[in-house]
Amino acid sequence: MITEPIKDNKELQAFLNFYADKKPNLRNHCLIVFGLNTALRISDILNIKWNMIYDFENKKFIKRLTISEHKTGKINIIPINDNLSIALQKFFSKQNPQYNDYIFTKSTDHTRPLSRTQAYRIIKTSADKCNITGNISCHSLRKTFGFFAWKQAVSYTHLRAHETDSYLVCRLLLEKKKKKNTPHSPCDI
């Protein structure tokens, strides 16, 4: 099955707020907000440390996250928008983290990052409890970001300027065509 984005605004809001309102958990809420607002792969999100987004010396959040993507090795600079900044600030104040701590840690061991399996469970639980149909997984956060950016007419080359293959970006933004052996342009909608 192909992972799907969450396309409905009401479903997205319910999904986004599940761990904020219905089953409060700042870590889980922040994880979902992080994924939906950065379009990073879950493997990259789970390896981010507080010192990458928080200036401990000046006691303030950094406006842009600079990250070397694990899969591609490319350096990516991602702006931290207001929604993500608010979620991070709330989580930071509760955690009182140290310089080298991971942002998303296991509840039983705060020195180790959350596993991909646990991140999947967090995302899947929110989707299930919000009655969101379709194949929702960790990659859905990335695809949802792309879908809503595309809907708002953000150019895919502007959206992910570090990508060199437009087909790869379009594949992220759009659902795969079900037609077999039918050639189409990268952004055939």
Side-chain angles (χ1 to χ4, degrees):
M1 275 183 125
I2 297 172
T3 298
E4 299 173 50
I6 300 168
K7 295 180 177 180
D8 181 80
N9 277 321
K10 287 181 182 177
E11 285 182 346
L12 180 59
Q13 285 307 311
F15 174 76
L16 187 58
N17 293 322
F18 177 74
Y19 289 112
D21 301 332
K22 295 197 178 190
K23 188 178 178 189
N25 184 310
L26 285 175
R27 180 199 66 188
N28 296 355
H29 175 70
C30 196
L31 176 68
I32 289 173
V33 172
F34 209 104
L36 289 171
N37 286 281
T38 64
L40 286 171
R41 289 177 183 86
I42 199 69
S43 57
D44 291 325
I45 292 170
L46 297 177
N47 284 304
I48 295 172
K49 295 185 175 187
W50 281 108
N51 62 28
M52 296 170 72
I53 60 161
Y54 186 77
D55 180 351
F56 281 86
E57 189 175 313
N58 295 312
K59 299 184 191 254
K60 66 178 185 175
F61 279 88
I62 297 167
K63 300 285 184 199
R64 296 182 188 281
L65 167 66
T66 303
I67 187 168
S68 174
E69 293 186 17
H70 179 73
K71 183 175 179 180
T72 64
K74 295 178 183 177
I75 302 296
N76 198 358
I77 300 171
I78 300 168
I80 305 294
N81 67 19
D82 291 342
N83 291 335
L84 180 53
S85 182
I86 290 166
L88 285 167
Q89 287 172 22
K90 286 179 184 176
F91 189 42
F92 183 87
S93 65
K94 179 187 176 269
Q95 288 294 100
N96 194 21
Q98 300 303 308
Y99 181 83
N100 239 1
D101 289 353
Y102 291 99
I103 295 175
F104 304 106
T105 61
K106 300 174 179 256
S107 28
T108 56
D109 183 359
H110 292 287
T111 62
R112 294 179 49 207
L114 201 61
S115 69
R116 290 174 52 95
T117 303
Q118 188 58 27
Y120 170 80
R121 286 185 196 127
I122 289 165
I123 292 161
K124 191 67 176 162
T125 297
S126 180
D128 289 347
K129 296 292 183 183
C130 295
N131 298 315
I132 298 172
T133 58
N135 189 24
I136 304 300
S137 69
C138 296
H139 205 65
S140 295
L141 302 178
R142 188 170 160 88
K143 285 189 170 192
T144 301
F145 173 93
F147 175 78
F148 280 93
W150 171 73
K151 242 180 113 175
Q152 294 171 15
V154 175
S155 158
Y156 61 84
T157 53
H158 180 72
L159 179 66
R160 298 299 298 218
H162 73 281
E163 296 287 358
T164 56
D165 184 355
S166 65
Y167 181 75
L168 178 65
V169 178
C170 286
R171 197 179 75 196
L172 169 69
L173 298 178
L174 307 172
E175 289 184 312
K176 248 183 174 178
K177 296 283 182 184
K178 297 218 177 192
K179 300 175 187 173
K180 291 183 180 177
N181 301 322
T182 305
H184 58 278
S185 69
C187 284
D188 186 18
I189 298 173

